[in-house]
Amino acid sequence: MIELKGLTKTYGKGSKSTTALSDLNLNIRKGEIFGVIGHSGAGKSTLIRCINLLERPTAGEVWVDGINLTSLNKIDLQQQRRKIGMIFQHFNLLSSATVYDNVAFPLKLVNTPKAAMDRKVKEMLALVGLEDHSNKYPAQLSGGQKQRVGIARALASDPNVLLCDEATSALDPQTTDSILKLLLDINEKYNLTIVLITHEMHVIQNICDQVAVIHQGGIVEQGPVTEVFLKPQHAITRDFMMRDHEVGIALEETALASADVSLQTDGSSKLVKISFLGNKTYEAILSRTVRKTGVDFAILQGTISTIKQVPYGQLTVRFEGQSDEINLTIKELMDQGLDVEVLR
């Protein structure tokens, strides 16, 4: 659906040049919600603006729905851009226009007949829950309502792709969750490909199927959210995980400190982290396994949460018993599809 090939973007020339993206490659499948996460200055805003060529790359190609946008002339590019909607961090609404006229704006640009435009605007306002606000002005709306207008406007042209440029970072947590749920509903209803950039890991966790971590203009890690979230490989990814889960990490560190005191010195204790995913989160796998192997255990810390409505859990557990029995327990758990990491 979207393919970025060798994407490079440089600002300025000579000694004053700055490279925002460097030989970046990325593939996004049709109908998925793809998240791009990175710190400020990592290149994520430049990346998303290159997809619709609001920023023209210095080198490389941008393919959307089988068409190389970087090879198009101005008129053809404008036509293809109508298939790519975009919402912004600060809404970018026309302050002197009503909600209705803001949503109708892209339709007026292409001379949509009035009756068809009216039907589409009403449909979009109903979709985002603002059908009773059509005659209001942006100044009369909350931040969440403004973003809903922005979403309705972006969808009015029936795009195949929706780009979200830090769409929730100006909103409070409760409003953020409502906007993310709306985007998820839109994705499921229209099979719309959504590309979302953010610096918040919980945004990725809530709705994304795939995630790419961008750092210094390049992708340093990518994959299914469940894999990247539960097994971060790059230091930048682990940093995001720590920022969004400081309380859980503090509890785990406390558990590790406590374990240092209680671990036996004869090698017959091990401290492990067990990760569960999907329905296994709620199954009694651990208790069944230790009954079979004869190992005792103590749960020192545990959490259960969801990744895009998929449950996952993590336990910090101390096993006690004979070394061969503990090793067998770990093997049995792994054979049943759990991820087990020996901490100490």
Side-chain angles (χ1 to χ4, degrees):
M1 178 61 179
I2 299 174
E3 186 176 4
L4 308 180
K5 301 180 179 180
L7 203 66
T8 298
K9 177 62 179 179
T10 302
Y11 296 98
K13 295 181 179 180
S15 60
K16 296 182 179 180
S17 66
T18 301
T19 299
L21 300 174
S22 179
D23 196 26
L24 185 146
N25 298 285
L26 202 60
N27 282 282
I28 299 171
R29 294 190 296 268
K30 180 175 176 58
E32 71 182 3
I33 303 180
F34 195 102
V36 179
I37 189 168
H39 293 299
S40 296
K44 57 186 185 295
S45 289
T46 301
L47 169 61
I48 202 167
R49 290 169 67 86
C50 279
I51 293 177
N52 59 5
L53 265 62
L54 287 178
E55 294 280 359
R56 183 168 284 275
T58 307
E61 298 177 350
V62 177
W63 290 74
V64 179
D65 215 7
I67 297 174
N68 182 4
L69 300 189
T70 46
S71 69
L72 300 180
N73 59 42
K74 186 176 180 179
I75 294 176
D76 290 340
L77 178 59
Q78 287 177 343
Q79 291 178 342
Q80 292 303 316
R81 276 184 177 149
R82 292 171 193 158
K83 302 177 183 179
I84 305 173
M86 189 166 187
I87 59 177
F88 304 88
Q89 177 181 2
H90 297 295
F91 321 127
N92 287 15
L93 301 180
L94 302 170
S95 60
S96 60
T98 64
V99 167
Y100 181 100
D101 288 333
N102 267 283
V103 177
F105 182 70
L107 300 175
K108 291 178 179 178
L109 290 178
V110 293
N111 299 314
T112 305
K114 189 177 186 308
M117 181 173 65
D118 189 59
R119 285 195 302 270
K120 176 57 71 172
V121 171
K122 289 179 178 178
E123 177 190 347
M124 292 299 100
L125 289 178
L127 177 68
V128 301
L130 292 179
E131 55 266 58
D132 296 330
H133 298 265
S134 62
N135 293 322
K136 291 184 179 180
Y137 290 86
Q140 298 173 287
L141 304 177
S142 68
Q145 289 171 331
K146 290 176 183 177
Q147 194 57 284
R148 287 173 181 267
V149 175
I151 293 171
R153 179 183 59 188
L155 297 179
S157 299
D158 295 322
N160 299 323
V161 176
L162 180 63
L163 306 179
C164 305
D165 188 0
E166 294 277 13
T168 61
S169 34
L171 306 175
D172 62 75
Q174 184 175 357
T175 306
T176 291
D177 288 343
S178 70
I179 294 297
L180 293 178
K181 184 180 184 305
L182 175 60
L183 292 174
L184 185 59
D185 291 343
I186 290 168
N187 168 257
E188 293 175 348
K189 182 175 182 178
Y190 296 105
N191 195 33
L192 188 68
T193 305
I194 298 178
V195 183
L196 183 152
I197 69 167
T198 183
H199 61 274
E200 300 170 299
M201 198 66 188
H202 78 271
V203 171
I204 301 291
Q205 175 188 350
N206 280 350
I207 68 168
C208 291
D209 303 297
Q210 299 274 330
V211 61
V213 183
I214 187 170
H215 179 60
Q216 295 181 346
I219 302 299
V220 296
E221 185 168 359
Q222 70 179 94
V225 173
T226 50
E227 292 184 10
V228 174
F229 188 85
L230 295 177
K231 301 178 184 178
Q233 301 297 311
H234 195 276
I236 294 297
T237 312
R238 291 193 292 270
D239 180 56
F240 277 113
M241 298 299 301
M242 290 181 65
R243 288 171 183 267
D244 266 28
H245 302 278
E246 289 178 353
V247 174
I249 288 171
L251 288 172
E252 184 174 311
E253 289 176 347
T254 300
L256 291 174
S258 300
D260 281 341
V261 176
S262 57
L263 279 175
Q264 299 177 25
T265 57
D266 59 1
S268 57
S269 292
K270 280 188 179 178
L271 191 69
V272 302
K273 180 191 287 186
I274 306 171
S275 297
F276 307 76
L277 185 64
N279 293 332
K280 290 184 173 65
T281 303
Y282 302 114
E283 295 179 13
I285 297 175
L286 177 59
S287 60
R288 288 200 304 265
T289 302
V290 295
R291 282 200 302 270
K292 177 180 178 181
T293 60
V295 167
D296 292 324
F297 74 98
I299 297 175
L300 304 182
Q301 188 265 331
T303 59
I304 294 179
S305 188
T306 59
I307 299 176
K308 198 181 179 182
Q309 302 174 331
V310 177
Y312 78 93
Q314 289 187 320
L315 295 177
T316 304
V317 176
R318 184 181 68 242
F319 287 135
E320 296 179 354
Q322 299 298 317
S323 294
D324 57 346
E325 294 175 344
I326 293 176
N327 291 335
L328 177 61
T329 301
I330 293 172
K331 181 180 182 301
E332 291 272 347
L333 292 173
M334 295 176 70
D335 287 346
Q336 295 179 76
L338 304 189
D339 183 70
V340 184
E341 177 186 358
V342 178
L343 302 176
R344 293 178 187 169

